[in-house]
Amino acid sequence: MTDQKNPETIQPELTNQPDSAKPELTEAQQQEEFARRFLKKITVTPLSDTTKEALGQAIGTIKNLGQEIALKQNELRDKAESLKNKISHLNTLGKVKIHVQEFDPLFAKCAQFAQILDKIAQETERDIAFYTPILEGNGDEQVSIMLFEPDDFEQFIIARISSIKKHIKKTQRDLAVGSSRYFVGLDHQLRQFDALAAYVNRLK
């Protein structure tokens, strides 16, 4: 979970040429060209105990973020489903008619937030898959990194650990803001429907 993404997961944007001038490249060719222009390989060497401990802690924070994302995903899915069920229930009472299409903008916002959560979840999974073999000492002999990153493997990992910590904090702040923004509309609508259902039931 870093600002410098793992090179294996970067989608390259290779040229600034006009569409009519640049050749059509396959995804594999784009990856090869990106690697040629922007990546280098460094040899994996044993880490000091201090760095291994710090890397283990960093992986732990990534896993914790992944669990937090999973909870947000479940909460979002449950609230959206509950809203649909309440609309259906109110319509079956026969006293009111609610058109679910009126809430399409709200459900679209939920889908947008779900996509954001999915993207973060995928990033956490990729980062765990990248760093865990390094920590356990059973990964590849070399790794591909960006040209500007340190040539020394231990210094590379130390820099990545620092980046992970900063990125995790930023992501958690963004999640808090995003959750407030997207959940507030759902919660408000759910409360309104609960009040409406109670009112309709009193009319029986």
Side-chain angles (χ1 to χ4, degrees):
M1 201 72 189
T2 62
D3 292 321
Q4 293 83 34
K5 303 300 184 185
N6 293 334
E8 292 83 354
T9 67
I10 295 175
Q11 295 298 318
E13 297 178 3
L14 297 173
T15 69
N16 293 319
Q17 298 176 344
D19 290 340
S20 58
K22 61 184 180 182
E24 193 72 26
L25 298 178
T26 65
E27 183 175 348
Q29 289 173 327
Q30 290 181 28
Q31 293 287 354
E32 287 180 9
E33 180 66 6
F34 181 83
R36 184 184 66 81
R37 292 174 59 179
F38 302 114
L39 302 183
K40 62 184 177 183
K41 286 185 178 291
I42 62 173
T43 300
V44 175
T45 57
L47 299 174
S48 68
D49 290 341
T50 300
T51 302
K52 286 180 67 175
E53 181 179 358
L55 179 59
Q57 292 173 349
I59 293 172
T61 62
I62 297 173
K63 290 180 178 178
N64 289 339
L65 178 61
Q67 293 171 355
E68 183 178 346
I69 294 298
L71 291 174
K72 296 289 185 187
Q73 289 173 315
N74 291 336
E75 183 180 3
L76 181 64
R77 181 173 57 251
D78 291 346
K79 287 180 183 294
E81 189 64 27
S82 179
L83 181 58
K84 292 177 183 178
N85 290 339
K86 289 181 186 296
I87 292 173
S88 177
H89 173 66
L90 282 166
N91 284 333
T92 61
L93 294 178
K95 300 293 184 180
V96 295
K97 179 62 178 177
I98 300 173
H99 299 282
V100 69
Q101 294 85 356
E102 296 177 6
F103 298 91
D104 283 347
L106 180 57
F107 290 126
K109 288 182 179 180
C110 292
Q112 182 182 27
F113 190 42
Q115 290 179 345
I116 294 172
L117 293 175
D118 286 343
K119 182 178 179 181
I120 300 174
Q122 291 169 10
E123 288 179 353
T124 61
E125 291 171 2
R126 287 195 296 261
D127 285 340
I128 291 170
F130 180 78
Y131 293 112
T132 300
I134 293 174
L135 178 65
E136 296 175 349
N138 56 10
D140 296 333
E141 293 182 357
Q142 291 187 316
V143 293
S144 296
I145 66 174
M146 303 299 292
L147 290 176
F148 59 81
E149 295 186 282
D151 291 332
D152 179 81
F153 182 70
E154 179 130 0
Q155 293 305 311
F156 158 71
I157 291 297
I158 291 172
R160 282 294 186 94
I161 291 170
S162 176
S163 183
I164 288 170
K165 291 178 180 178
K166 293 176 183 177
H167 194 64
I168 289 286
K169 288 181 180 179
K170 179 180 182 302
T171 301
Q172 288 175 327
R173 286 196 302 268
D174 292 344
L175 273 178
V177 173
S179 296
S180 175
R181 180 188 307 162
Y182 289 99
F183 286 155
V184 67
L186 282 170
D187 289 337
H188 174 71
Q189 198 62 65
L190 287 169
R191 288 192 298 270
Q192 282 195 325
F193 282 161
D194 284 340
L196 180 57
Y199 173 75
V200 171
N201 285 328
R202 287 197 299 271
L203 295 180
K204 290 183 177 181

